Structures are given as structure tokens and as C-alpha cells.
């Protein structure tokens, strides 16, 4: 069965735990190698820590190199993979595998532990381009990701599930003959199979249990999956019969999730761990070995659960010492997170203090806030106040994710630590305390105080100190909140570089995100999107891809896609964010409904938009600490109410909301627009126009180019509604060149019922520069074509081509061009004249900005990919 499956390049073994996927892959390889002499095996046992592109590709290449020789260049590149070059390394690996003469099978065991989208995408690419003499095998407990399973449609996948992996009668009899030297009658074998439903681990347990209980019927009944008590079974049928040293080894090493020889030696003093490991492997006692990057081991999860229970019930008095030993050895091996976790479990306060003193900053930089808080919870305030490093760790945690009001007084109580420090360390310590005080003040929105603390700290640090990054980052945050985005940008860039040197992951991600927002506000959408992608890539490499920073990066990309009218891409990004936030507070899902509402307001089914708006409006009645998101949701909800005439809700909101009086940040401008929608809906046009004029002046002085145009377009729409059509027309004429230079689309279409008639009149009566006229034509085309792509039987034009003004007939011609048809073939297919085809092609070339068929094909492939 397995050999037959190897007709496909990708073989997937998918079943719950205990069905023998790993064994099936190994023996499947042996069977395949019998028929294909010389087939090499590359085996990679995966762990949750391998779920990073850099680690994954490095281990994969190392595993392949054990089986077949790869070039030194590829090995060196994989040892220190750069930012986002996983696809490049996969391409180079494919090239070298194509040169290998022997057949090769690559097994990725426990692939369900890999969730990173970059890894999934690269592996899909890998499978599509595998040379015919290479086979890839995945063992997994869950359904593989969609982009890998989509390979089914291309005939590239063979699957074996629990039904195929379950033991049958002949296999069961052979199993007992080989491992128990016992002939089992057919009737009894069938009874066993019924009881355990072909479960491979069940058969293994029965064989092990036969040493103490020769009754197969009783053993099978005990293991019936309808009444499974695995702990009792292990205890009575397996554990009691083991040698004393083996028992000690099993119990002591089960205190950790995985171990190597160093860890085993530390946990089992006086025991020959080499011999015990060989005994476990020889007797198939549920130990699993990891060959990459070193020799690490873990227990099958059933054995692990049993041993954990046994430790807790019968050996609880030895647990603190075992955890302390584990903490010591992990610290010695450089696994700080594991060392901290076991230090907490040991309850040994001195160990916790030693680790926090030396590694506290490192843990905070890598966003292990919960772990640090667990450590601090074990210590008294008096213990913390005895050491400056502990004080700083405590204050950073409170300033960022705790109670920032506690920081100032706590630092005051620690002032004597500065005076007691050596003279050459006092300035540095003062700078550190000023910096954390600055962070607390910023968290509490005392921006002037935060700025003063940060600037004073920067005067105390050495000029080349990478610790300056924290003070710089806070100062940049203050400038950003005060609207000085140009000044903030330069400091964010400097802070990012220093944060990378210090491996402060959170600071790097935040700096990149803020830079992305600033470039977006200045109208450079390309640079902004690049920075957002860098956030996602960097987070993936560092194993922090599920945090707020990643979500904000996706939100930024979604906003850019929406503004450029790439609605399909925007929706895909929003759905990706929904998956990331699935286990978060419901607030996040409600907020994302607002983004989907924006998409439907631009182009979609009115019924869907109405349902989204009804659900989304609940967000305005909630209080939530992440108020950075509220302006987005407020603006879209007020815009919906305004355009749908829901005056009652608008008046209620206007009475309850605080008036926007300061215009410093993007969020202020969003709330101002929401207020202007409400004022326009209640026909207070004068107030709306005055507020917008005032906000536009502030935005212009601070460099918010996109916000200037968005507010000016709204002001033109309000002016037109108020009846001053000539003034509105002059405003639109003045805005058109600036908007064209930035490529704004959605900002016009949100106000289409007022702005598009003005734009049509202008295009009939005036002459604009070619690039401005082309931009205006595209806007008018999109306005005319709204909703048509969603008609029953209608043909979907890609968003990027729709934004370029491509008509439905031109799109049909274009598809035939991309398929390689000649003009004559296109004419015959569409039942039109060749001259008509040429006319459509000429129009296409103008709209796409290309001159030749080859350029049109290249341009089309890139646009459709968007």
C-alpha cells in the first residue's frame, strides 16, 4: 500500500496518536528500498520549536545532507538563513537534489506541529518541483494546510489515513509472532482487533503486558477504546515489571518535555544513562529520538502522561529537586526559557533570582512577559528591592503590561541602589531607571513627562550603547502621538537598528510597524507594505508570529489593499487576521467586521453589508483598553449610518461622544471624519466644514498627505451636499492631481454619490495632464462597474485590472492573450473581427502602460497574482 502510494511525489500518513504513523513511514521506506535498491532516507523528527522558517529549513537541509551529499555553499547558507530567503534555499535544495543520482525519501515526522504559513507555502513549492526520484513523506495527526492539500487537485498527493494504518488480521498475527513469539488464533486475533480497533499502540501495550499477564483476552478488554484507562494499564501491566534503575530513569526524565544525554545525566546521577536508553529502545518502551539538531529524546505522549501522573501521586516530594536540577542543566545548555519554567516549578527563590538578574532583560526583549511575571510573583517586594536588575525587570513588566501607576513610586524606593552602585555604573543605572519611568509615563499618556525622562536618559547613556534603543523608541512614540511623524520616523529607524543588535524582538517589530504607518500616512504605500511584510517575516523567524505586532502589520497591509481597490487581497488579509485572533477577546472579531464592512461598502452585496454593519455597531457600546483600534471602527460605522440615513443612531452617538478638539495623530483625524459624517447627516454643514478645514491645516503642517486628501474629499462632498456646487467643483479640481500622485481609490469611492458626478462634469469640461486624466477615467470606470462583477453568471475581473479600467470584453481578450492565443484564434473564439480584437488590445496596452504582447503577459501575470 505504501509502495503504491509512492507513485505520487507527496505521501501523507494522517491518523490520531498511536496508529503507528512513524513506524509505517519507516517500514514503508524499507519496503520501497527493497524494490528500488540504493534509495537513501532523510528523516526529520519535528518539534514545536522547529515552527520557524529559519530553523525548519536548516534542519531539513541538514537531514537531507545526512542521506545525500549537498554542497558546502548550501550548508553554510542554511546555518545562518537570512531574513526571508527560505524560498531561495528551497530552490537551491531542489537544484542540488536534481543532480543526485540515487533515489531519496524525505520523511517529516509530526508535521502537524508546523503551523507557519511561510513554511507551508515553501513546502508546497518544493513538492510541485520535486525531481521524480525524490519522495516526500509527511506524518501528521491533523489535516495538512490548504496550500499543501490543494496539490491533491494536481494529482501530486497520496494519502493513508487511520483506516489504512490500522492493523488487519494477518498483520496482527505476524506482530505477535515477531514480538511475543506467540501464535494467536484467528478468532482471538479478531476479538483483539475489535476491542482496540486496529490501534497499533494497543497491540504494543498488549505484547509488553504479556510479561506479567499472559491472558490476551483480559489485556485486550483492559485496552478497549470504549473503556480505556491507560494509566492503570501502564502501572499494572508494564511499569511494575521494569528494573529499578529503568523506573528511576523514566520518572526522573519525565519531569522535562524532552531530554538529551546531558539532561538525563543531570536528572539521574549515578545511573548509566547510555545503557538505559538502549534498553528503552530495545524494548520499544515508547521513547522517540530526535536526530536533528542533536540527539534529543521524548516519550510517546501516552507514556509521558502516565509518568507525570506517577510522579505526582507517588513521588511528589522529589519534584522540587528534579525541577531545580532541570533548571540548572537547561541554563548550562543555554535554554533560558526552559530553565525559568523549571525554576518556578522548583519553588527555589534563589534560582529564580539568579536567572532574573542575568536573563531578565533578555526574556522581556523576547516578549516572555507572562513567564517573567510568574517569576516575580514568587518573590516579595523586599527581595526585588535588594537588586537593581530585579527592580528594572519588575518595572518594565508593570510599565508595559501591568499597572504603570506603580512604577514611579517603586523606582523611588529603589533610589538607594543607585547611590550604592560603583561610581562608573551610576549613570548607566540612572539612565535605565529614567527609561523605564519614561515608558510608564507614556503608557499613562503623560507624553511631556515621558519625553523629558527619555531625553534625560539619552544624555546619560554612552554614545555607542545599544541600551539607548529603549529610550529612543519611547521618544519616537511620543513624537508620533504628538503628530511629529517626520521626527519620529528618523528615531524609529535608529531604534530599530539598535534593537536588532540587542535581539529585542518586540522593539524591532514595533519600530517597523510604526515606520509602516508613517510611510502610509505620507502616501508611500509600496514602502509601507514592504515594512509590514518585514514585520511578519521577522516575527516568524523569531517565533513570535501570533502577537499584536503581527496583527497590526496585517491590518496595515489590508488598509493599503483596500485603498488601492484590491478588495480580494484585502478580504484575504482580514480573514488571516481573524484566524490569528480566533482565541482573543470578541472585540477583535467585531473590529474586523468593520474592515469587511468597508470592503462591502466599496463593492459587494448590500445585504451582506447591512448584516455586517448591524453586528459591528455593537463595538461602539463597548469599553476596551486597546483604544488604538476604536477610531477605525468608529469611522466606518458612522459612515455607514450616514450613507444609509440612520439619523437616530447618529444623534445618539453625537450626544455621547467627546468632541475632537486636537488634531495630532491619524486616530484624531479618523474620529474627526466620523464626527463630520454625523454633522453632515444632521445638516450642520457649517460646523462640519469648519472642523474639517481646521484639521486639514494641522495635517498639512505635519506631513499627513493621505489624511489631508481624505479630509479634503469629505469637505468637498459636504460642500456639495450643502448646495455650494461651484465651490465643491473647485475643491475637487484642486485635489485631483495630488490624489492621482498617491493613487488613492477607495477614498473617492466611499463618497461616490457626491464626488463622481463632479468628476464626470470636470472630465467633460476641462483638460488635465495625461496621467491625471487616466487616473480620473479609472475612478469613473470603477464607479460604473461597481457590483457588476457579482451578478449571477457575471465574470469576475481581477481587482487590479478593474482598478486599471479594464472592461469586461477587454478582460476576455486579455485572458486569451495570457493563454497564448493569436489574434485570429481570439477572434474565432469570441466571434468578432480581428480588427475588433486589435482595438481591444490597443486599449488594453494603454490602460496597462505596456507596448508589446510580452510586456502585457508579464504585467498581467503580476497583476493577477496580486
Amino acid at each position: 500500500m505504501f509502495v503504491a502510494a509512492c507513485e505520487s511525489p507527496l505521501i501523507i500518513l494522517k491518523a490520531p496518536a498511536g496508529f503507528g504513523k512513524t513506524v509505517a513511514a519507516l517500514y514503508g521506506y524499507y519496503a520501497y528500498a527493497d524494490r528500488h535498491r540504493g534509495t537513501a532516507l532523510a528523516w526529520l523528527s519535528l518539534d514545536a520549536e522547529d515552527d520557524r522558517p529559519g530553523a525548519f529549513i536548516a534542519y531539513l537541509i541538514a537531514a537531507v545532507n545526512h542521506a545525500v551529499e549537498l554542497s558546502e555553499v548550501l550548508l553554510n547558507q542554511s546555518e545562518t538563513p537570512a531574513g526571508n530567503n527560505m524560498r531561495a534555499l528551497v530552490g537551491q535544495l531542489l537544484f542540488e537534489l536534481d543532480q543526485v543520482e540515487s533515489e531519496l525519501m524525505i520523511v517529516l515526522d509530526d508535521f502537524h506541529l508546523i503551523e507557519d504559513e511561510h513554511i507551508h507555502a515553501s513546502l508546497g513549492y518544493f513538492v510541485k518541483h520535486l525531481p521524480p526520484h525524490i519522495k516526500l513523506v509527511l506524518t501528521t495527526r491533523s489535516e495538512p494546510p490548504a496550500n499543501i492539500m490543494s496539490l491533491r487537485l494536481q494529482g501530486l498527493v497520496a494519502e493513508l489515513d487511520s483506516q489504512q494504518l490500522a492493523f488487519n488480521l494477518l498483520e496482527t498475527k505476524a506482530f505477535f509472532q515477531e514480538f511475543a513469539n506467540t501464535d494467536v488464533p484467528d478468532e482471538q486475533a479478531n476479538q483483539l482487533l475489535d476491542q482496540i480497533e486496529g490501534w497499533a499502540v494497543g497491540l504494543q501495550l498488549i505484547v509488553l503486558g504479556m510479561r506479567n499477564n499472559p491472558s490476551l483476552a483480559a489485556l485486550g478488554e483492559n485496552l478497549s477504546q470504549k473503556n480505556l484507562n491507560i494509566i492503570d494499564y501502564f502501572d499494572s501491566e508494564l511499569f511494575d515489571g521494569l528494573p529499578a534503575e529503568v523506573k528511576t530513569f523514566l520518572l526522573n526524565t519525565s519531569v522535562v518535555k524532552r531530554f538529551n544525554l546531558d539532561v538525563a545525566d543531570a536528572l539521574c546521577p549515578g545511573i548509566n544513562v547510555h545503557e538505559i536508553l538502549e534498553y528503552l529502545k530495545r524494548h520499544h518502551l515508547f521513547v522517540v529520538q530526535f536526530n536533528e539538531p542533536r540527539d534529543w529524546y521524548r516519550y510517546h505522549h501516552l507514556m509521558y502522561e502516565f509518568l507525570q501522573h506517577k510522579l505526582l501521586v507517588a513521588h511528589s516530594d522529589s519534584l522540587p529537586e528534579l525541577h531545580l536540577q532541570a533548571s540548572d542543566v537547561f541554563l548550562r545548555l543555554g535554554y533560558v526559557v526552559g530553565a525559568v519554567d523549571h525554576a518556578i516549578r522548583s519553588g527555589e527563590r534563589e534560582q529564580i533570582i539568579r536567572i532574573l538578574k542575568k536573563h531578565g532583560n533578555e526574556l522581556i526583549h523576547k516578549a516572555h512577559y507572562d513567564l517573567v511575571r510568574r517569576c516575580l510573583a514568587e518573590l516579595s517586594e523586599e527581595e526585588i528591592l535588594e537588586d537593581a536588575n530585579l527592580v528594572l525587570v519588575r518595572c518594565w513588566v508593570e510599565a508595559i503590561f501591568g499597572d504603570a501607576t506603580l512604577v514611579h513610586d517603586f523606582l523611588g524606593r529603589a533610589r538607594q541602589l543607585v547611590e550604592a552602585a560603583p561610581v562608573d555604573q551610576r549613570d548607566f543605572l540612572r539612565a535605565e531607571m529614567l527609561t523605564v519611568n519614561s515608558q510608564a509615563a507614556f503608557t499613562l499618556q503623560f507624553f511631556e513627562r515621558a519625553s523629558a525622562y527619555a531625553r534625560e536618559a539619552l544624555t546619560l547613556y554612552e554614545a555607542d550603547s545599544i541600551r539607548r534603543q529603549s529610550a529612543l523608541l519611547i521618544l519616537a512614540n511620543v513624537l508620533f502621538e504628538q503628530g511629529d511623524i517626520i521626527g519620529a520616523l528618523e528615531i524609529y529607524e535608529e531604534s530599530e537598528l539598535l534593537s536588532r543588535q540587542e535581539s529585542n524582538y518586540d522593539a524591532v517589530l514595533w519600530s517597523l510597524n510604526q515606520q509602516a504607518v508613517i510611510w502610509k500616512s505620507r502616501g508611500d504605500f509600496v514602502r509601507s507594505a514592504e515594512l509590514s511584510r518585514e514585520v511578519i517575516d521577522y516575527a516568524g523567524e523569531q517565533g513570535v508570529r501570533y502577537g499584536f505586532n503581527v496583527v497590526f502589520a496585517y491590518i496595515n497591509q489590508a488598509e493599503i489593499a483596500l485603498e488601492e481597490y484590491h478588495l480580494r487581497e484585502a478580504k484575504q488579509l482580514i480573514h488571516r487576521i481573524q484566524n490569528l485572533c480566533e482565541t482573543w477577546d470578541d472585540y477583535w472579531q467585531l473590529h474586523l467586521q468593520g474592515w469587511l464592512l468597508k470592503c462591502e461598502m466599496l463593492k459587494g452585496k448590500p445585504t451582506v453589508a447591512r448584516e455586517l454593519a448591524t453586528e459591528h455597531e455593537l463595538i461602539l457600546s463597548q469599553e476596551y483598553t486597546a483604544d488604538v483600534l476604536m477610531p477605525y471602527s468608529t469611522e466606518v460605522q458612522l459612515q455607514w449610518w450616514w450613507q444609509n440615513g440612520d439619523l437616530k443612531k447618529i444623534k445618539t452617538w453625537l450626544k455621547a461622544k467627546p468632541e475632537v478638539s486636537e488634531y495630532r495623530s491619524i486616530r484624531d483625524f479618523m474620529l474627526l471624519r466620523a464626527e463630520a459624517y454625523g454633522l453632515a447627516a444632521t445638516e450642520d454643514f457649517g460646523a462640519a466644514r469648519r472642523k474639517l478645514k481646521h484639521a486639514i491645516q494641522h495635517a498639512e503642517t505635519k506631513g499627513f498627505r493621505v489624511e489631508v486628501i481624505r479630509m479634503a474629499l469629505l469637505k468637498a462632498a459636504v460642500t456639495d451636499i450643502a448646495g455650494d456646487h461651484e465651490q465643491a467643483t473647485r475643491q475637487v479640481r484642486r485635489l485631483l492631481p495630488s490624489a492621482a500622485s498617491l493613487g488613492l481609490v477607495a477614498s473617492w469611492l466611499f463618497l461616490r454619490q457626491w464626488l463622481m458626478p463632479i468628476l464626470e462634469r470636470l472630465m467633460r469640461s476641462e483638460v488635465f495632464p495625461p496621467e491625471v486624466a487616466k487616473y480620473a477615467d479609472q475612478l469613473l470606470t470603477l464607479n460604473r462597474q461597481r457590483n457588476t462583477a457579482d451578478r449571477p453568471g457575471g465574470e469576475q475581473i481581477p481587482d487590479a485590472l478593474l482598478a486599471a479600467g479594464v472592461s469586461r470584453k477587454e478582460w476576455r481578450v486579455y485572458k486569451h492573450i495570457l493563454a497564448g492565443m493569436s489574434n485570429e484564434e481570439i477572434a474565432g473564439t469570441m466571434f468578432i473581427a480581428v480588427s475588433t480584437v486589435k482595438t481591444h488590445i490597443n486599449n488594453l496596452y494603454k490602460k496597462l502602460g505596456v507596448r508589446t504582447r510580452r510586456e502585457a503577459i508579464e504585467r498581467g501575470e503580476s497583476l493577477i497574482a496580486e
Side-chain angles (χ1 to χ4, degrees):
M1 189 163 47
F2 183 93
V3 174
C6 289
E7 294 294 321
S8 301
L10 174 61
I11 302 95
I12 297 177
L13 307 181
K14 181 184 68 177
F19 268 86
K21 299 180 294 295
T22 300
V23 174
L26 183 60
Y27 281 89
Y29 159 73
Y30 292 148
Y32 184 83
D34 279 344
R35 298 193 185 184
H36 302 80
R37 296 294 180 185
T39 301
L41 174 65
W43 190 286
L44 177 56
S45 295
L46 296 165
D47 189 26
E49 295 178 7
D50 302 331
D51 193 19
R52 294 174 291 122
F56 180 88
I57 190 62
Y59 297 158
L60 174 60
I61 289 173
V64 172
N65 188 58
H66 277 295
V68 296
E69 188 175 353
L70 300 176
S71 71
E72 288 295 327
V73 173
L74 179 57
L75 293 174
N76 291 336
Q77 287 177 338
S78 69
E79 287 177 1
T80 55
N84 56 358
N85 72 338
M86 183 176 180
R87 177 63 67 84
L89 288 172
V90 167
Q92 180 63 25
L93 177 59
L94 284 166
F95 173 79
E96 296 197 13
L97 288 176
D98 197 39
Q99 315 304 311
V100 172
E101 294 182 0
S102 64
E103 295 208 25
L104 171 68
M105 183 174 291
I106 303 171
V107 178
L108 301 183
D109 197 17
D110 286 338
F111 187 72
H112 55 271
L113 297 173
I114 303 300
E115 299 177 352
D116 187 276
E117 292 181 4
H118 298 288
I119 298 177
H120 294 165
S122 296
L123 207 60
Y125 175 84
F126 184 68
V127 173
K128 286 181 183 178
H129 298 87
L130 269 180
H133 58 288
I134 311 294
K135 306 298 175 186
L136 177 64
V137 179
L138 306 183
T139 75
T140 176
R141 296 181 191 172
S142 58
E143 187 76 14
N147 61 344
I148 290 180
M149 293 316 295
S150 66
L151 301 172
R152 281 184 185 138
L153 302 176
Q154 303 171 46
L156 302 176
V157 180
E159 295 178 75
L160 302 177
D161 60 17
S162 55
Q163 288 185 341
Q164 283 90 32
L165 292 173
F167 273 64
N168 59 29
L169 178 62
L170 291 177
E171 291 166 341
T172 301
K173 290 171 67 69
F175 185 89
F176 278 99
Q177 181 62 52
E178 180 176 353
F179 293 103
N181 196 26
T182 300
D183 287 320
V184 181
D186 289 1
E187 183 178 350
Q188 195 171 19
N190 277 321
Q191 183 182 358
L192 284 173
L193 287 175
D194 287 340
Q195 289 169 331
I196 66 172
E197 299 178 7
W199 192 35
V201 165
L203 290 176
Q204 189 175 354
L205 288 171
I206 289 172
V207 168
L208 292 170
M210 287 175 67
R211 299 168 187 169
N212 303 319
N213 185 349
S215 171
L216 288 176
L219 291 169
E221 185 62 35
N222 288 342
L223 272 179
S224 171
Q225 290 197 341
K226 297 175 183 175
N227 183 26
L228 180 62
N229 190 336
I230 203 71
I231 289 176
D232 289 345
Y233 189 95
F234 267 109
D235 214 5
S236 61
E237 307 296 346
L238 174 62
F239 192 77
D240 284 347
L242 294 174
E245 283 195 343
V246 175
K247 290 181 182 179
T248 301
F249 181 94
L250 289 170
L251 287 169
N252 288 9
T253 52
S254 71
V255 79
V256 295
K257 290 182 179 178
R258 66 179 192 167
F259 58 91
N260 63 8
L261 290 173
D262 291 324
V263 176
D265 269 330
L267 294 172
C268 305
I271 292 178
N272 189 327
V273 296
H274 295 268
E275 287 186 2
I276 301 295
L277 276 171
E278 288 304 314
Y279 177 93
L280 295 178
K281 288 188 279 187
R282 188 167 62 250
H283 289 81
H284 309 285
L285 281 173
F286 302 99
V287 65
V288 181
Q289 183 174 4
F290 295 83
N291 292 320
E292 298 296 341
R294 305 180 194 173
D295 287 333
W296 285 82
Y297 301 84
R298 66 170 173 83
Y299 295 112
H300 187 284
H301 79 282
L302 296 174
M303 173 68 94
Y304 181 73
E305 288 172 10
F306 161 71
L307 292 171
Q308 287 280 295
H309 173 80
K310 190 78 172 174
L311 267 178
L312 191 62
V313 171
H315 303 275
S316 57
D317 56 334
S318 65
L319 276 173
E321 181 61 27
L322 285 172
H323 281 299
L324 182 59
Q325 291 169 345
S327 178
D328 282 334
V329 69
F330 278 130
L331 202 58
R332 191 172 75 245
L333 295 174
Y335 299 106
V336 178
V337 172
V340 173
D341 184 63
H342 286 289
I344 295 170
R345 292 172 186 270
S346 75
E348 181 58 52
R349 302 155 81 90
E350 289 301 319
Q351 178 78 348
I352 295 172
I353 289 171
R354 281 195 295 272
I355 294 175
L356 280 186
K357 282 181 180 180
K358 187 171 182 180
H359 300 285
N361 268 335
E362 175 189 345
L363 291 167
I364 290 173
H365 294 343
K366 294 180 179 178
H368 295 296
Y369 298 108
D370 288 339
L371 198 60
V372 175
R373 292 176 85 169
R374 283 174 56 202
C375 285
L376 292 169
E378 299 292 318
L379 308 178
S380 67
E381 285 198 350
E382 288 67 29
E383 286 174 309
I384 295 171
L385 285 165
E386 290 177 0
D387 184 84
N389 288 319
L390 294 180
V391 168
L392 289 168
V393 168
R394 158 78 188 277
C395 288
W396 273 113
V397 171
E398 296 291 356
I400 297 173
F401 280 111
D403 186 351
T405 61
L406 302 175
V407 172
H408 182 76
D409 290 342
F410 199 76
L411 286 173
R413 293 169 62 190
R415 191 171 292 118
Q416 74 278 3
L417 295 174
V418 177
E419 305 308 321
V423 175
D424 60 342
Q425 296 178 18
R426 288 177 190 171
D427 279 351
F428 176 79
L429 199 51
R430 287 193 187 100
E432 291 284 285
M433 292 189 172
L434 282 165
T435 301
V436 73
N437 230 340
S438 176
Q439 177 62 56
F442 179 80
T443 300
L444 297 169
Q445 297 188 4
F446 300 147
F447 296 139
E448 296 301 330
R449 189 184 305 171
S451 176
Y453 284 142
R455 292 182 188 278
E456 186 178 354
L458 289 169
T459 65
L460 296 174
Y461 283 117
E462 296 288 339
D464 58 351
S465 172
I466 60 174
R467 289 295 301 141
R468 297 174 70 249
Q469 63 84 14
S470 295
L472 286 169
L473 183 58
I474 300 164
L475 184 57
N477 288 337
V478 170
L479 294 175
F480 181 86
E481 291 298 328
Q482 293 176 331
D484 184 2
I485 58 173
I486 308 301
L489 179 62
E490 183 178 350
I491 300 177
Y492 277 130
E493 290 171 345
E494 184 179 357
S495 174
E496 177 209 335
L497 293 175
L498 291 174
S499 300
R500 287 181 186 272
Q501 294 177 42
E502 198 181 25
S503 298
N504 189 337
Y505 304 157
D506 247 17
V508 173
L509 295 171
W510 180 259
S511 298
L512 288 170
N513 260 332
Q514 294 298 87
Q515 291 174 56
V517 172
I518 291 171
W519 282 112
K520 179 182 65 185
S521 303
R522 297 178 68 182
D524 192 337
F525 293 160
V526 173
R527 178 64 178 141
S528 179
E530 286 175 351
L531 287 163
S532 290
R533 286 191 290 272
E534 190 173 347
V535 169
I536 294 162
D537 290 339
Y538 183 83
E541 292 163 13
Q542 309 305 332
V544 290
R545 63 182 177 281
Y546 299 120
F548 294 137
N549 277 310
V550 174
V551 168
F552 288 136
Y554 278 124
I555 287 175
N556 190 64
Q557 285 184 294
E559 184 178 3
I560 292 171
L562 194 72
E563 182 59 60
E564 295 181 330
Y565 208 73
H566 298 163
L567 302 188
R568 192 178 299 111
E569 178 188 348
K571 286 184 178 180
Q572 289 172 345
L573 288 164
I574 295 163
H575 290 310
R576 191 171 299 166
I577 301 167
Q578 286 178 319
N579 291 334
L580 287 174
C581 302
E582 192 172 8
T583 60
W584 296 8
D585 191 287
D586 289 344
Y587 171 89
W588 290 86
Q589 297 298 332
L590 277 178
H591 172 70
L592 293 170
Q593 298 286 32
W595 282 96
L596 293 173
L597 175 58
K598 286 183 178 183
C599 292
E600 295 303 329
M601 287 172 67
L602 282 173
K603 171 178 166 279
K605 299 175 181 177
T607 304
V608 176
R610 193 172 297 110
E611 291 171 355
L612 286 167
T614 301
E615 187 174 354
H616 177 259
E617 69 182 36
L618 298 173
I619 203 169
L620 298 190
S621 63
Q622 294 192 9
E623 292 184 5
Y624 196 79
T625 53
D627 60 352
V628 66
L629 303 178
M630 279 304 296
Y632 289 89
S633 289
T634 302
E635 181 185 3
V636 69
Q637 193 64 46
L638 265 292
Q639 191 174 52
W640 171 263
W641 285 341
W642 173 40
Q643 296 190 11
N644 287 271
D646 204 333
L647 290 180
K648 183 178 179 180
K649 290 177 180 176
I650 289 173
K651 289 178 180 178
T652 301
W653 180 81
L654 284 171
K655 288 179 182 177
K657 61 89 191 165
E659 185 177 358
V660 182
S661 56
E662 294 184 332
Y663 310 107
R664 295 181 302 191
S665 68
I666 297 169
R667 297 192 293 278
D668 293 332
F669 299 132
M670 289 179 181
L671 291 173
L672 181 277
R673 283 197 295 273
E675 188 177 345
Y677 299 147
L679 294 171
T682 55
E683 299 186 357
D684 193 350
F685 303 124
R689 291 166 72 179
R690 284 194 301 274
K691 285 179 173 290
L692 285 166
K693 180 180 178 181
H694 190 48
I696 290 168
Q697 290 171 346
H698 277 266
E700 284 177 334
T701 60
K702 295 179 180 296
F704 291 93
R705 295 181 65 200
V706 172
E707 300 306 317
V708 167
I709 295 175
R710 285 174 174 169
M711 290 186 290
L713 287 172
L714 177 55
K715 184 169 176 282
V718 173
T719 301
D720 190 68
I721 298 168
D724 193 346
H725 304 305
E726 290 186 8
Q727 176 66 13
T729 301
R730 286 195 294 271
Q731 291 172 353
V732 170
R733 182 194 301 113
R734 189 166 57 249
L735 285 169
L736 196 54
S738 300
S741 68
L742 298 181
L744 302 185
V745 178
S747 296
W748 289 85
L749 296 180
F750 276 132
L751 304 167
R752 56 163 59 95
Q753 57 264 57
W754 302 288
L755 298 183
M756 291 301 122
I758 297 174
L759 196 56
E760 286 180 347
R761 291 197 298 271
L762 282 172
M763 294 303 293
R764 287 195 300 267
S765 62
E766 299 197 22
V767 177
F768 292 95
E771 64 277 5
V772 176
K774 179 181 178 182
Y775 169 72
D777 282 337
Q778 289 174 346
L779 291 174
L780 293 171
T781 300
L782 287 173
N783 182 55
R784 288 191 294 269
Q785 293 182 343
R786 67 186 185 275
N787 297 326
T788 58
D790 291 326
R791 294 183 313 212
E795 188 173 13
Q796 188 85 359
I797 303 176
D799 291 332
L801 296 178
L802 196 60
V806 174
S807 70
R808 194 165 307 285
K809 284 189 176 179
E810 289 165 353
W811 166 232
R812 289 183 63 196
V813 171
Y814 202 3
K815 284 202 305 180
H816 294 317
I817 290 174
L818 295 174
M821 287 189 182
S822 67
N823 290 356
E824 290 74 14
E825 289 171 328
I826 295 172
T829 301
M830 295 180 63
F831 301 102
I832 57 177
V834 174
S835 59
T836 305
V837 172
K838 290 180 179 178
T839 300
H840 287 318
I841 290 174
N842 288 334
N843 291 336
L844 266 171
Y845 285 5
K846 289 177 184 177
K847 292 175 181 179
L848 297 174
V850 300
R851 292 177 296 176
T852 66
R853 209 178 192 89
R854 181 175 178 179
E855 289 179 0
I857 291 172
E858 291 175 354
R859 178 72 172 142
E861 288 174 347
S862 65
L863 286 173
I864 293 169
E866 294 176 4

